[in-house]
PDB file of all heavy atoms in Angstrom:
ATOM      1  N   TYR K   1     -14.460 -23.955 -40.146  1.00 98.00           N
ATOM      2  CA  TYR K   1     -13.670 -22.810 -39.586  1.00 98.00           C
ATOM      3  C   TYR K   1     -12.191 -23.132 -39.610  1.00 98.00           C
ATOM      4  O   TYR K   1     -11.461 -22.783 -38.732  1.00 98.00           O
ATOM      5  CB  TYR K   1     -14.169 -22.531 -38.108  1.00 98.00           C
ATOM      6  CG  TYR K   1     -15.577 -21.994 -38.108  1.00 98.00           C
ATOM      7  CD1 TYR K   1     -16.664 -22.891 -37.826  1.00 98.00           C
ATOM      8  CD2 TYR K   1     -15.850 -20.692 -38.383  1.00 98.00           C
ATOM      9  CE1 TYR K   1     -17.931 -22.364 -37.814  1.00 98.00           C
ATOM     10  CE2 TYR K   1     -17.189 -20.207 -38.372  1.00 98.00           C
ATOM     11  CZ  TYR K   1     -18.201 -21.036 -38.106  1.00 98.00           C
ATOM     12  OH  TYR K   1     -19.494 -20.538 -38.104  1.00 98.00           O
ATOM     13  N   ALA K   2     -11.760 -23.758 -40.733  1.00 98.00           N
ATOM     14  CA  ALA K   2     -10.364 -24.139 -40.859  1.00 98.00           C
ATOM     15  C   ALA K   2      -9.419 -22.942 -40.984  1.00 98.00           C
ATOM     16  O   ALA K   2      -8.216 -23.065 -40.697  1.00 98.00           O
ATOM     17  CB  ALA K   2     -10.210 -25.023 -42.079  1.00 98.00           C
ATOM     18  N   ASP K   3     -10.028 -21.782 -41.240  1.00 98.00           N
ATOM     19  CA  ASP K   3      -9.139 -20.569 -41.379  1.00 98.00           C
ATOM     20  C   ASP K   3      -8.824 -19.968 -40.013  1.00 98.00           C
ATOM     21  O   ASP K   3      -7.999 -19.021 -39.862  1.00 98.00           O
ATOM     22  CB  ASP K   3      -9.758 -19.522 -42.299  1.00 98.00           C
ATOM     23  CG  ASP K   3     -11.083 -19.042 -41.752  1.00 98.00           C
ATOM     24  OD1 ASP K   3     -11.765 -19.859 -41.079  1.00 98.00           O
ATOM     25  OD2 ASP K   3     -11.480 -17.922 -42.022  1.00 98.00           O
ATOM     26  N   GLY K   4      -9.429 -20.435 -38.918  1.00 98.00           N
ATOM     27  CA  GLY K   4      -9.157 -19.980 -37.553  1.00 98.00           C
ATOM     28  C   GLY K   4      -8.021 -20.766 -36.912  1.00 98.00           C
ATOM     29  O   GLY K   4      -7.556 -21.746 -37.521  1.00 98.00           O
ATOM     30  N   GLU K   5      -7.602 -20.314 -35.741  1.00 98.00           N
ATOM     31  CA  GLU K   5      -6.588 -21.062 -34.959  1.00 98.00           C
ATOM     32  C   GLU K   5      -7.339 -22.190 -34.214  1.00 98.00           C
ATOM     33  O   GLU K   5      -8.196 -21.862 -33.342  1.00 98.00           O
ATOM     34  CB  GLU K   5      -5.891 -20.111 -34.051  1.00 98.00           C
ATOM     35  CG  GLU K   5      -4.709 -20.746 -33.245  1.00 98.00           C
ATOM     36  CD  GLU K   5      -4.109 -19.849 -32.299  1.00 98.00           C
ATOM     37  OE1 GLU K   5      -3.948 -18.652 -32.626  1.00 98.00           O
ATOM     38  OE2 GLU K   5      -3.815 -20.274 -31.157  1.00 98.00           O
ATOM     39  N   ILE K   6      -7.049 -23.419 -34.484  1.00 98.00           N
ATOM     40  CA  ILE K   6      -7.823 -24.575 -33.980  1.00 98.00           C
ATOM     41  C   ILE K   6      -7.020 -25.226 -32.828  1.00 98.00           C
ATOM     42  O   ILE K   6      -5.805 -25.536 -32.996  1.00 98.00           O
ATOM     43  CB  ILE K   6      -8.235 -25.507 -35.100  1.00 98.00           C
ATOM     44  CG1 ILE K   6      -9.113 -24.844 -36.099  1.00 98.00           C
ATOM     45  CG2 ILE K   6      -8.906 -26.784 -34.470  1.00 98.00           C
ATOM     46  CD1 ILE K   6      -9.576 -25.645 -37.229  1.00 98.00           C
ATOM     47  N   GLU K   7      -7.721 -25.584 -31.731  1.00 98.00           N
ATOM     48  CA  GLU K   7      -7.121 -26.376 -30.649  1.00 98.00           C
ATOM     49  C   GLU K   7      -8.072 -27.466 -30.241  1.00 98.00           C
ATOM     50  O   GLU K   7      -9.286 -27.267 -30.249  1.00 98.00           O
ATOM     51  CB  GLU K   7      -6.790 -25.482 -29.410  1.00 98.00           C
ATOM     52  CG  GLU K   7      -5.632 -24.532 -29.628  1.00 98.00           C
ATOM     53  CD  GLU K   7      -5.457 -23.668 -28.398  1.00 98.00           C
ATOM     54  OE1 GLU K   7      -6.387 -23.044 -27.918  1.00 98.00           O
ATOM     55  OE2 GLU K   7      -4.316 -23.670 -27.905  1.00 98.00           O
ATOM     56  N   HIS K   8      -7.568 -28.637 -29.859  1.00 97.00           N
ATOM     57  CA  HIS K   8      -8.385 -29.781 -29.451  1.00 97.00           C
ATOM     58  C   HIS K   8      -8.120 -30.162 -28.030  1.00 97.00           C
ATOM     59  O   HIS K   8      -7.904 -31.317 -27.727  1.00 97.00           O
ATOM     60  CB  HIS K   8      -8.168 -30.934 -30.428  1.00 97.00           C
ATOM     61  CG  HIS K   8      -8.722 -30.742 -31.791  1.00 97.00           C
ATOM     62  ND1 HIS K   8     -10.061 -30.872 -32.086  1.00 97.00           N
ATOM     63  CD2 HIS K   8      -8.111 -30.376 -32.938  1.00 97.00           C
ATOM     64  CE1 HIS K   8     -10.209 -30.595 -33.399  1.00 97.00           C
ATOM     65  NE2 HIS K   8      -9.057 -30.314 -33.910  1.00 97.00           N
ATOM     66  N   ILE K   9      -8.040 -29.156 -27.183  1.00 97.00           N
ATOM     67  CA  ILE K   9      -7.779 -29.483 -25.676  1.00 97.00           C
ATOM     68  C   ILE K   9      -8.949 -30.214 -25.089  1.00 97.00           C
ATOM     69  O   ILE K   9      -8.843 -31.198 -24.382  1.00 97.00           O
ATOM     70  CB  ILE K   9      -7.514 -28.192 -24.927  1.00 97.00           C
ATOM     71  CG1 ILE K   9      -6.194 -27.490 -25.514  1.00 97.00           C
ATOM     72  CG2 ILE K   9      -7.330 -28.490 -23.448  1.00 97.00           C
ATOM     73  CD1 ILE K   9      -6.037 -26.094 -24.953  1.00 97.00           C
ATOM     74  N   ASP K  10     -10.154 -29.745 -25.439  1.00 97.00           N
ATOM     75  CA  ASP K  10     -11.380 -30.313 -24.916  1.00 97.00           C
ATOM     76  C   ASP K  10     -12.521 -29.950 -25.904  1.00 97.00           C
ATOM     77  O   ASP K  10     -12.865 -28.800 -25.992  1.00 97.00           O
ATOM     78  CB  ASP K  10     -11.709 -29.734 -23.526  1.00 97.00           C
ATOM     79  CG  ASP K  10     -12.847 -30.567 -22.826  1.00 97.00           C
ATOM     80  OD1 ASP K  10     -13.545 -31.272 -23.500  1.00 97.00           O
ATOM     81  OD2 ASP K  10     -12.984 -30.325 -21.617  1.00 97.00           O
ATOM     82  N   GLY K  11     -12.948 -30.956 -26.705  1.00 97.00           N
ATOM     83  CA  GLY K  11     -13.798 -30.553 -27.852  1.00 97.00           C
ATOM     84  C   GLY K  11     -13.029 -29.808 -28.882  1.00 97.00           C
ATOM     85  O   GLY K  11     -11.831 -30.222 -29.157  1.00 97.00           O
ATOM     86  N   ILE K  12     -13.527 -28.771 -29.435  1.00 98.00           N
ATOM     87  CA  ILE K  12     -12.774 -27.954 -30.336  1.00 98.00           C
ATOM     88  C   ILE K  12     -12.829 -26.489 -29.915  1.00 98.00           C
ATOM     89  O   ILE K  12     -13.918 -25.914 -29.586  1.00 98.00           O
ATOM     90  CB  ILE K  12     -13.351 -28.156 -31.838  1.00 98.00           C
ATOM     91  CG1 ILE K  12     -12.457 -27.456 -32.877  1.00 98.00           C
ATOM     92  CG2 ILE K  12     -14.759 -27.743 -31.966  1.00 98.00           C
ATOM     93  CD1 ILE K  12     -12.660 -27.901 -34.252  1.00 98.00           C
ATOM     94  N   SER K  13     -11.731 -25.779 -29.961  1.00 98.00           N
ATOM     95  CA  SER K  13     -11.682 -24.417 -29.642  1.00 98.00           C
ATOM     96  C   SER K  13     -11.118 -23.661 -30.924  1.00 98.00           C
ATOM     97  O   SER K  13     -10.061 -24.107 -31.435  1.00 98.00           O
ATOM     98  CB  SER K  13     -10.731 -24.024 -28.472  1.00 98.00           C
ATOM     99  OG  SER K  13     -11.273 -24.680 -27.316  1.00 98.00           O
ATOM    100  N   ILE K  14     -11.800 -22.674 -31.435  1.00 98.00           N
ATOM    101  CA  ILE K  14     -11.360 -21.913 -32.605  1.00 98.00           C
ATOM    102  C   ILE K  14     -11.291 -20.432 -32.323  1.00 98.00           C
ATOM    103  O   ILE K  14     -12.223 -19.838 -31.770  1.00 98.00           O
ATOM    104  CB  ILE K  14     -12.288 -22.202 -33.768  1.00 98.00           C
ATOM    105  CG1 ILE K  14     -12.344 -23.734 -34.027  1.00 98.00           C
ATOM    106  CG2 ILE K  14     -11.900 -21.446 -35.018  1.00 98.00           C
ATOM    107  CD1 ILE K  14     -13.196 -24.200 -35.194  1.00 98.00           C
ATOM    108  N   SER K  15     -10.134 -19.857 -32.620  1.00 98.00           N
ATOM    109  CA  SER K  15      -9.935 -18.451 -32.271  1.00 98.00           C
ATOM    110  C   SER K  15      -9.694 -17.664 -33.577  1.00 98.00           C
ATOM    111  O   SER K  15      -8.971 -18.055 -34.480  1.00 98.00           O
ATOM    112  CB  SER K  15      -8.755 -18.282 -31.370  1.00 98.00           C
ATOM    113  OG  SER K  15      -8.956 -18.996 -30.178  1.00 98.00           O
ATOM    114  N   TYR K  16     -10.244 -16.456 -33.609  1.00 98.00           N
ATOM    115  CA  TYR K  16      -9.957 -15.371 -34.565  1.00 98.00           C
ATOM    116  C   TYR K  16      -9.468 -14.132 -33.783  1.00 98.00           C
ATOM    117  O   TYR K  16      -9.415 -14.154 -32.557  1.00 98.00           O
ATOM    118  CB  TYR K  16     -11.181 -15.049 -35.450  1.00 98.00           C
ATOM    119  CG  TYR K  16     -11.611 -16.242 -36.215  1.00 98.00           C
ATOM    120  CD1 TYR K  16     -12.509 -17.166 -35.781  1.00 98.00           C
ATOM    121  CD2 TYR K  16     -11.127 -16.371 -37.558  1.00 98.00           C
ATOM    122  CE1 TYR K  16     -12.880 -18.248 -36.573  1.00 98.00           C
ATOM    123  CE2 TYR K  16     -11.493 -17.459 -38.366  1.00 98.00           C
ATOM    124  CZ  TYR K  16     -12.372 -18.407 -37.862  1.00 98.00           C
ATOM    125  OH  TYR K  16     -12.747 -19.406 -38.638  1.00 98.00           O
ATOM    126  N   GLU K  17      -9.151 -13.089 -34.470  1.00 98.00           N
ATOM    127  CA  GLU K  17      -8.525 -11.893 -33.802  1.00 98.00           C
ATOM    128  C   GLU K  17      -9.529 -11.284 -32.833  1.00 98.00           C
ATOM    129  O   GLU K  17      -9.116 -10.847 -31.739  1.00 98.00           O
ATOM    130  CB  GLU K  17      -8.129 -10.871 -34.882  1.00 98.00           C
ATOM    131  CG  GLU K  17      -7.203  -9.819 -34.316  1.00 98.00           C
ATOM    132  CD  GLU K  17      -6.578  -8.980 -35.395  1.00 98.00           C
ATOM    133  OE1 GLU K  17      -6.118  -9.569 -36.436  1.00 98.00           O
ATOM    134  OE2 GLU K  17      -6.584  -7.727 -35.277  1.00 98.00           O
ATOM    135  N   ASP K  18     -10.795 -11.242 -33.189  1.00 98.00           N
ATOM    136  CA  ASP K  18     -11.768 -10.493 -32.242  1.00 98.00           C
ATOM    137  C   ASP K  18     -12.875 -11.392 -31.848  1.00 98.00           C
ATOM    138  O   ASP K  18     -13.875 -10.891 -31.245  1.00 98.00           O
ATOM    139  CB  ASP K  18     -12.334  -9.256 -32.967  1.00 98.00           C
ATOM    140  CG  ASP K  18     -13.067  -9.671 -34.293  1.00 98.00           C
ATOM    141  OD1 ASP K  18     -12.948 -10.819 -34.739  1.00 98.00           O
ATOM    142  OD2 ASP K  18     -13.765  -8.756 -34.793  1.00 98.00           O
ATOM    143  N   TRP K  19     -12.808 -12.645 -32.023  1.00 98.00           N
ATOM    144  CA  TRP K  19     -13.854 -13.622 -31.396  1.00 98.00           C
ATOM    145  C   TRP K  19     -13.315 -15.023 -31.390  1.00 98.00           C
ATOM    146  O   TRP K  19     -12.312 -15.382 -32.025  1.00 98.00           O
ATOM    147  CB  TRP K  19     -15.146 -13.535 -32.176  1.00 98.00           C
ATOM    148  CG  TRP K  19     -15.081 -14.155 -33.585  1.00 98.00           C
ATOM    149  CD1 TRP K  19     -14.471 -13.628 -34.710  1.00 98.00           C
ATOM    150  CD2 TRP K  19     -15.725 -15.375 -34.012  1.00 98.00           C
ATOM    151  NE1 TRP K  19     -14.614 -14.503 -35.808  1.00 98.00           N
ATOM    152  CE2 TRP K  19     -15.428 -15.507 -35.386  1.00 98.00           C
ATOM    153  CE3 TRP K  19     -16.498 -16.333 -33.354  1.00 98.00           C
ATOM    154  CZ2 TRP K  19     -15.875 -16.626 -36.159  1.00 98.00           C
ATOM    155  CZ3 TRP K  19     -16.956 -17.400 -34.116  1.00 98.00           C
ATOM    156  CH2 TRP K  19     -16.593 -17.538 -35.484  1.00 98.00           C
ATOM    157  N   HIS K  20     -13.908 -15.856 -30.499  1.00 98.00           N
ATOM    158  CA  HIS K  20     -13.471 -17.191 -30.353  1.00 98.00           C
ATOM    159  C   HIS K  20     -14.613 -18.071 -29.782  1.00 98.00           C
ATOM    160  O   HIS K  20     -15.578 -17.467 -29.180  1.00 98.00           O
ATOM    161  CB  HIS K  20     -12.196 -17.317 -29.567  1.00 98.00           C
ATOM    162  CG  HIS K  20     -12.365 -17.068 -28.052  1.00 98.00           C
ATOM    163  ND1 HIS K  20     -12.238 -18.004 -27.087  1.00 98.00           N
ATOM    164  CD2 HIS K  20     -12.814 -15.914 -27.389  1.00 98.00           C
ATOM    165  CE1 HIS K  20     -12.485 -17.439 -25.928  1.00 98.00           C
ATOM    166  NE2 HIS K  20     -12.853 -16.154 -26.093  1.00 98.00           N
ATOM    167  N   PHE K  21     -14.500 -19.364 -29.997  1.00 98.00           N
ATOM    168  CA  PHE K  21     -15.552 -20.195 -29.385  1.00 98.00           C
ATOM    169  C   PHE K  21     -15.026 -21.655 -29.077  1.00 98.00           C
ATOM    170  O   PHE K  21     -14.006 -22.005 -29.603  1.00 98.00           O
ATOM    171  CB  PHE K  21     -16.817 -20.276 -30.282  1.00 98.00           C
ATOM    172  CG  PHE K  21     -16.592 -21.062 -31.591  1.00 98.00           C
ATOM    173  CD1 PHE K  21     -16.880 -22.299 -31.731  1.00 98.00           C
ATOM    174  CD2 PHE K  21     -16.109 -20.291 -32.726  1.00 98.00           C
ATOM    175  CE1 PHE K  21     -16.786 -23.018 -32.904  1.00 98.00           C
ATOM    176  CE2 PHE K  21     -15.947 -21.037 -33.941  1.00 98.00           C
ATOM    177  CZ  PHE K  21     -16.312 -22.298 -34.086  1.00 98.00           C
ATOM    178  N   ASN K  22     -15.694 -22.248 -28.184  1.00 98.00           N
ATOM    179  CA  ASN K  22     -15.400 -23.698 -27.862  1.00 98.00           C
ATOM    180  C   ASN K  22     -16.719 -24.461 -28.006  1.00 98.00           C
ATOM    181  O   ASN K  22     -17.803 -23.960 -27.570  1.00 98.00           O
ATOM    182  CB  ASN K  22     -14.895 -23.784 -26.394  1.00 98.00           C
ATOM    183  CG  ASN K  22     -14.802 -25.291 -25.980  1.00 98.00           C
ATOM    184  OD1 ASN K  22     -15.708 -25.747 -25.375  1.00 98.00           O
ATOM    185  ND2 ASN K  22     -13.704 -25.908 -26.349  1.00 98.00           N
ATOM    186  N   VAL K  23     -16.588 -25.628 -28.657  1.00 98.00           N
ATOM    187  CA  VAL K  23     -17.752 -26.556 -28.706  1.00 98.00           C
ATOM    188  C   VAL K  23     -17.235 -27.911 -28.157  1.00 98.00           C
ATOM    189  O   VAL K  23     -16.229 -28.399 -28.641  1.00 98.00           O
ATOM    190  CB  VAL K  23     -18.237 -26.699 -30.132  1.00 98.00           C
ATOM    191  CG1 VAL K  23     -19.329 -27.785 -30.230  1.00 98.00           C
ATOM    192  CG2 VAL K  23     -18.774 -25.421 -30.719  1.00 98.00           C
ATOM    193  N   ARG K  24     -17.978 -28.411 -27.201  1.00 98.00           N
ATOM    194  CA  ARG K  24     -17.613 -29.760 -26.629  1.00 98.00           C
ATOM    195  C   ARG K  24     -18.866 -30.537 -26.364  1.00 98.00           C
ATOM    196  O   ARG K  24     -19.957 -29.958 -26.186  1.00 98.00           O
ATOM    197  CB  ARG K  24     -16.775 -29.560 -25.308  1.00 98.00           C
ATOM    198  CG  ARG K  24     -17.489 -28.681 -24.292  1.00 98.00           C
ATOM    199  CD  ARG K  24     -16.470 -28.381 -23.136  1.00 98.00           C
ATOM    200  NE  ARG K  24     -16.174 -29.561 -22.296  1.00 98.00           N
ATOM    201  CZ  ARG K  24     -17.061 -29.990 -21.343  1.00 98.00           C
ATOM    202  NH1 ARG K  24     -18.189 -29.381 -21.127  1.00 98.00           N
ATOM    203  NH2 ARG K  24     -16.793 -31.065 -20.632  1.00 98.00           N
ATOM    204  N   ALA K  25     -18.660 -31.873 -26.444  1.00 95.00           N
ATOM    205  CA  ALA K  25     -19.802 -32.727 -26.202  1.00 95.00           C
ATOM    206  C   ALA K  25     -20.094 -32.893 -24.745  1.00 95.00           C
ATOM    207  O   ALA K  25     -19.126 -32.906 -23.931  1.00 95.00           O
ATOM    208  CB  ALA K  25     -19.461 -34.095 -26.863  1.00 95.00           C
ATOM    209  N   SER K  26     -21.338 -33.019 -24.411  1.00 88.00           N
ATOM    210  CA  SER K  26     -21.752 -33.377 -23.001  1.00 88.00           C
ATOM    211  C   SER K  26     -21.194 -34.756 -22.701  1.00 88.00           C
ATOM    212  O   SER K  26     -21.135 -35.687 -23.601  1.00 88.00           O
ATOM    213  CB  SER K  26     -23.228 -33.409 -22.929  1.00 88.00           C
ATOM    214  OG  SER K  26     -23.640 -34.106 -21.771  1.00 88.00           O
ATOM    215  N   ASN K  27     -20.797 -34.995 -21.430  1.00 78.00           N
ATOM    216  CA  ASN K  27     -20.386 -36.334 -21.004  1.00 78.00           C
ATOM    217  C   ASN K  27     -21.554 -37.266 -20.812  1.00 78.00           C
ATOM    218  O   ASN K  27     -21.349 -38.545 -20.697  1.00 78.00           O
ATOM    219  CB  ASN K  27     -19.647 -36.185 -19.686  1.00 78.00           C
ATOM    220  CG  ASN K  27     -18.221 -35.611 -19.888  1.00 78.00           C
ATOM    221  OD1 ASN K  27     -17.485 -36.105 -20.675  1.00 78.00           O
ATOM    222  ND2 ASN K  27     -17.916 -34.530 -19.187  1.00 78.00           N
ATOM    223  N   THR K  28     -22.780 -36.717 -20.725  1.00 71.00           N
ATOM    224  CA  THR K  28     -23.931 -37.595 -20.338  1.00 71.00           C
ATOM    225  C   THR K  28     -25.060 -37.652 -21.364  1.00 71.00           C
ATOM    226  O   THR K  28     -25.898 -38.493 -21.217  1.00 71.00           O
ATOM    227  CB  THR K  28     -24.480 -37.070 -18.977  1.00 71.00           C
ATOM    228  OG1 THR K  28     -24.780 -35.742 -19.134  1.00 71.00           O
ATOM    229  CG2 THR K  28     -23.466 -37.373 -17.845  1.00 71.00           C
ATOM    230  N   GLU K  29     -25.147 -36.712 -22.291  1.00 79.00           N
ATOM    231  CA  GLU K  29     -26.245 -36.587 -23.200  1.00 79.00           C
ATOM    232  C   GLU K  29     -25.719 -36.332 -24.647  1.00 79.00           C
ATOM    233  O   GLU K  29     -24.624 -35.854 -24.761  1.00 79.00           O
ATOM    234  CB  GLU K  29     -27.210 -35.466 -22.839  1.00 79.00           C
ATOM    235  CG  GLU K  29     -27.711 -35.525 -21.369  1.00 79.00           C
ATOM    236  CD  GLU K  29     -28.409 -34.247 -20.956  1.00 79.00           C
ATOM    237  OE1 GLU K  29     -29.570 -34.144 -21.203  1.00 79.00           O
ATOM    238  OE2 GLU K  29     -27.778 -33.397 -20.411  1.00 79.00           O
ATOM    239  N   PRO K  30     -26.606 -36.617 -25.629  1.00 84.00           N
ATOM    240  CA  PRO K  30     -26.140 -36.288 -27.077  1.00 84.00           C
ATOM    241  C   PRO K  30     -26.275 -34.750 -27.307  1.00 84.00           C
ATOM    242  O   PRO K  30     -27.127 -34.329 -28.221  1.00 84.00           O
ATOM    243  CB  PRO K  30     -27.134 -37.087 -27.934  1.00 84.00           C
ATOM    244  CG  PRO K  30     -28.406 -37.218 -27.071  1.00 84.00           C
ATOM    245  CD  PRO K  30     -27.899 -37.210 -25.650  1.00 84.00           C
ATOM    246  N   LEU K  31     -25.503 -34.005 -26.582  1.00 94.00           N
ATOM    247  CA  LEU K  31     -25.565 -32.521 -26.741  1.00 94.00           C
ATOM    248  C   LEU K  31     -24.227 -31.983 -27.058  1.00 94.00           C
ATOM    249  O   LEU K  31     -23.129 -32.516 -26.664  1.00 94.00           O
ATOM    250  CB  LEU K  31     -25.993 -31.906 -25.346  1.00 94.00           C
ATOM    251  CG  LEU K  31     -27.417 -32.132 -24.798  1.00 94.00           C
ATOM    252  CD1 LEU K  31     -27.471 -31.524 -23.420  1.00 94.00           C
ATOM    253  CD2 LEU K  31     -28.426 -31.693 -25.724  1.00 94.00           C
ATOM    254  N   LEU K  32     -24.194 -30.846 -27.830  1.00 97.00           N
ATOM    255  CA  LEU K  32     -23.049 -30.083 -27.952  1.00 97.00           C
ATOM    256  C   LEU K  32     -23.255 -28.748 -27.171  1.00 97.00           C
ATOM    257  O   LEU K  32     -24.272 -28.171 -27.297  1.00 97.00           O
ATOM    258  CB  LEU K  32     -22.729 -29.786 -29.482  1.00 97.00           C
ATOM    259  CG  LEU K  32     -22.149 -30.925 -30.297  1.00 97.00           C
ATOM    260  CD1 LEU K  32     -21.885 -30.463 -31.707  1.00 97.00           C
ATOM    261  CD2 LEU K  32     -20.836 -31.414 -29.727  1.00 97.00           C
TER     262      LEU K  32
END
């Protein structure tokens, strides 16, 4: 998703004009 606006405040946040998402790792388990 390199064509979106990317931030690494906590995990990865990616924004487009009409949608966005954040993916971050769990602190305790092998989960995203």
Side-chain angles (χ1 to χ4, degrees):
Y1 293 98
D3 60 331
E5 184 184 320
I6 297 178
E7 292 178 305
H8 291 282
I9 298 168
D10 191 347
I12 187 167
S13 298
I14 301 180
S15 302
Y16 295 89
E17 197 168 314
D18 59 348
W19 70 288
H20 70 115
F21 68 95
N22 171 265
V23 175
R24 54 189 290 278
S26 163
N27 286 306
T28 53
E29 304 168 88
L31 296 176
L32 283 180

